Amino acid sequence: MSLMDYFKPKKTNAASQAKERLQIIVAQRRRADSQSENLSALEKDILEVIRKYYMNVEESAIQLHLEQKEEDISVLELNVTLPDDKESK
Amino acid sequence: MARIIVVTSGKGGVGKTTSSAAIGTGLALKGHKTVIVDFDVGLRNLDLIMGVERRVVYDFVNVINGESNLNQTLIKDKRVEGLYILPASQTRDKEALTKEGVQKVLDELSETFDYIICDSPAGIEQGALMALYFADEAIVVTNPEVSSVRDSDRILGILASRSKRAEEGLEPVKEHLLLTRYNPERVERGDMLSVEDVCEILAIKMIGVIPESQAVLRASNVGEPVILDENSDAGQAYLDTIERLMGNEVEYRFLSGEKKGLFKRLFGG
């Protein structure tokens, strides 16, 4: 910092802006990652429950999607393909 | 059993190869038998930084394909005892690195070496994924700059989900942060993210801070890893990093700018 700098208009600190922006991005990334872990755990649990009633359900028969629609709305979509009735009994 | 350490970053140009060369050389200086493996198939550069480009005969992909054996392929460093380089292929693409092939080579290296340093290519494609897949530890090279920090965070996510250790539910890859091209004067002026800022954002343990230094370009020009330039700031900062990698506590140097005289303080410069 030199004497001349005292006469220049003060700018907002660029490094602290960078830090703030990065903290938001990193938090989002980590949330998304832990969400996908949660989803795969949920998928396993759902599969177990369904198998109590339908024996031949394969892992690939279940699809789970979580979609962030807006700031405060997310949609959880579950698709299950059940085997034919004859097979399951 | 060797300690397998990947030097990675996501972003290109942050100092992965410079750091791989310095760290590998530093470990060998400490008496550990070390091999540095270039995973950047198609764009190899480790050979240049190490100054062995004219001694490359066979490469990593040749070994994977059984066209040469490790003895024929490894290049022995002439300056430091116990230091070897496994160069990448210049003519193939990164798909030539298969999981089975890489595993086979690392297993064989593991029998005779103490340390295997995997120099990752930039990006998050096949070459980078193979470089980190078998790692026990990761040195994440980051510049104090937004795109580099974000890419490092992305790499941390991949280490936590797509490494062998993650897939097999073993103890996670040990992560270290290596901050390079650090400019204390700019940090003091508020123009650059500080060590503390980057640590706080990425939330992993720091292993070294390398100041932005003339010595790095000079070292690459002559093909000598910068850690051998013991009088340079960057060389000393890498030597400190090696100590920390060995588990020793070393105080950080080069974190504050040079002292300015009264004249400079008054009139800038």
Side-chain angles (χ1 to χ4, degrees), chain A residues 67-78:
Chain A
E67 203 183 326
Q68 188 84 35
K69 284 278 187 197
E70 277 158 53
E71 190 78 7
D72 54 351
I73 304 173
S74 34
V75 176
L76 182 69
E77 189 185 309
L78 170 67

Side-chain angles (χ1 to χ4, degrees), chain B residues 109-125:
Chain B
L109 289 172
S110 214
E111 287 169 18
T112 48
F113 284 93
D114 302 320
Y115 284 91
I116 301 173
I117 306 296
C118 303
D119 181 21
S120 173
I124 49 173
E125 276 92 52

Side-chain angles (χ1 to χ4, degrees), chain A residues 2-3 13 15 19 23 29-30, chain B residues 153 190 200 202 265-266 268:
Chain A
S2 87
L3 190 61
N13 186 324
K19 185 181 178 187
Q23 278 175 322
R29 201 275 299 163
R30 295 193 175 177
Chain B
D153 174 62
E200 196 184 325
L202 292 177
R265 261 193 279 159
L266 282 177

